[in-house]
Amino acid sequence: ASGYAAPAPQAPVLPGWKHVYSGKVRDLYIPADAADAVSAEQLLMVASDRISAYDWVLDSEIPDKGRVLTGLSLWWFDQLADVIGNHVISSDVPEAVAGRGLIVKNLSMFPVECVARGYLTGSGMSDYRATGSVCGIQLPAGLVEADRLEPPIFTPATKAELGEHDENVSFDAVAETVGTETAEKLRDLTVEIYQRAEQIARERGIILADTKFEFGTLPDGTIVLGDEVLTPDSSRFWDAEGYEAGKAQSSFDKQFVRDWLTEESGWDKASDTPPPALPAEVVEKTRARYIEAFEKLTRETFPG
Ligand code: ATP
Ligand code: MG
């Protein structure tokens, strides 16, 4: 696919906040009295129920997905608090986005998608097949799909423009952008946080194959985590039970959507045509899967 469905989300109008930006899934606001997104001290990040697949934002929403993602992100920030700080100020948000919104500190973000991989798949596998390495890191010969990488590797990517794919880059490219010392810090933090999270997820029956973090700095220069963390949208979660290297693993969250789109809907993912809306059954199964991920990881009942 080469296009996005127009990201024309109807971001809700929220008292006290001004809508400034929407990504594929999330809507970003600044305080109504702030001049612009650069000078604002706080942001309101809202996870919608939108879902994307094969780089398209689908016409169908998954009820409660926004609350699952925001709840998981908050839970993880808490789990990681002794390793790294984060941008969260409060989850006391306007009623219309309750449970889906977070008020966060407006950070100065590093322009790097900080990816850690503990398993070889996706663009990592493609790069490995083509070159034997990923982001300039040489890997042993003979690795197969979904093989574990020990130790996990830092495979940064540049943030893509709307409609483009993120591009894997080398450590040296990151060092050129942010300086060697900062690049080393981002790399070490990314791997350390991944290892911690991978262990926590593993204890709960979920394999965290890879994940992406975005870091930024506070006014005093401290590096903290921004964005969302360790959600199914920023990570690959696999069911530990069915795991077997050498074959494609089914993704915990979007598998029903992907399967239906590619095998049953008649839609051609290589075409420029937007995918069709999802049948109710696919929506419901997908919703259940997101909630299952939340409950497995947090060991809490998802608040209905
Ligand atoms: P995609 O839908 O592919 O993720 P996107 O990254 O443009 O596209 P969002 O993720 O919804 O869309 O956008 C959130 C934006 O806010 C990102 O640019 C992210 O880097 C930025 N961001 C996240 N946390 C903070 C923060 N605390 N301070 C400032 N900017 C932040
Ligand atoms: Mg993003």
Side-chain angles (χ1 to χ4, degrees):
S2 59
Y4 283 83
Q10 319 74 347
V13 174
L14 300 176
W17 296 92
K18 193 156 56 179
H19 176 237
V20 287
Y21 177 77
S22 288
K24 286 198 284 292
V25 169
R26 287 175 304 156
D27 304 318
L28 210 61
Y29 298 76
I30 59 174
D33 59 4
D36 53 56
V38 177
S39 61
E41 280 180 27
Q42 305 186 350
L43 303 173
L44 171 59
M45 299 190 48
V46 177
S48 72
D49 290 340
R50 297 191 290 275
I51 184 167
S52 67
Y54 302 112
D55 279 346
W56 291 93
V57 178
L58 304 184
D59 280 340
S60 313
E61 299 201 329
I62 307 298
D64 293 323
K65 176 173 177 278
R67 285 201 299 135
V68 167
L69 263 61
T70 300
L72 265 181
S73 212
L74 265 180
W75 183 81
W76 279 114
F77 280 135
D78 225 38
Q79 300 296 306
L80 299 168
D82 56 337
V83 183
I84 180 123
N86 62 68
H87 63 166
V88 176
I89 297 173
S90 140
S91 47
D92 186 9
V93 296
E95 182 61 33
V97 295
R100 300 195 284 123
L102 285 181
I103 299 170
V104 302
K105 295 170 192 163
N106 190 5
L107 304 175
S108 173
M109 300 299 287
F110 295 109
V112 187
E113 310 252 304
C114 291
V115 178
R117 295 173 193 271
Y119 293 79
L120 189 58
T121 187
S123 68
M125 189 61 187
S126 308
D127 292 356
Y128 173 73
R129 282 208 182 101
T131 67
S133 60
V134 185
C135 296
I137 301 168
Q138 187 75 36
L139 296 175
L143 294 178
V144 296
E145 171 66 33
D147 251 335
R148 180 154 194 197
L149 301 170
E150 186 54 51
I153 54 175
F154 175 59
T155 62
T158 55
K159 243 183 124 60
E161 298 297 317
L162 204 66
E164 301 293 316
H165 283 291
D166 292 350
E167 190 189 340
N168 287 344
V169 295
S170 66
F171 176 84
D172 290 347
V174 177
E176 263 169 45
T177 313
V178 301
T180 303
E181 203 184 316
T182 301
E184 285 172 352
K185 263 191 214 152
L186 296 179
R187 178 193 62 198
D188 295 349
L189 281 170
T190 299
V191 172
E192 184 187 356
I193 300 166
Y194 168 83
Q195 284 176 313
R196 172 71 70 98
E198 195 267 347
Q199 192 186 334
I200 293 172
R202 173 174 298 277
E203 288 163 2
R204 289 157 164 84
I206 289 178
I207 293 178
L208 175 65
D210 53 37
T211 196
K212 180 215 50 168
F213 302 115
E214 293 186 33
F215 296 94
T217 53
L218 299 172
D220 72 359
T222 313
I223 297 179
V224 297
L225 274 174
D227 217 58
E228 60 178 345
V229 289
L230 297 155
T231 66
D233 279 10
S234 65
S235 321
R236 280 193 178 86
F237 290 132
W238 295 337
D239 200 336
E241 222 164 280
Y243 170 75
E244 195 191 324
K247 60 168 201 183
Q249 313 298 302
S250 61
S251 91
F252 209 89
D253 50 326
K254 289 182 188 171
Q255 204 59 42
F256 295 119
V257 172
R258 290 163 171 278
D259 290 352
W260 183 81
L261 282 175
T262 55
E263 290 162 25
E264 290 180 55
S265 70
W267 174 67
D268 174 9
K269 87 174 151 94
S271 77
D272 283 347
T273 323
L278 304 173
E281 193 202 347
V282 176
V283 169
E284 190 40 51
K285 279 182 163 166
T286 303
R287 173 177 176 272
R289 205 71 171 132
Y290 273 91
I291 290 173
E292 191 188 346
F294 177 96
E295 295 191 334
K296 269 192 133 166
L297 284 167
T298 66
R299 293 179 171 155
E300 286 162 21
T301 305
F302 181 69

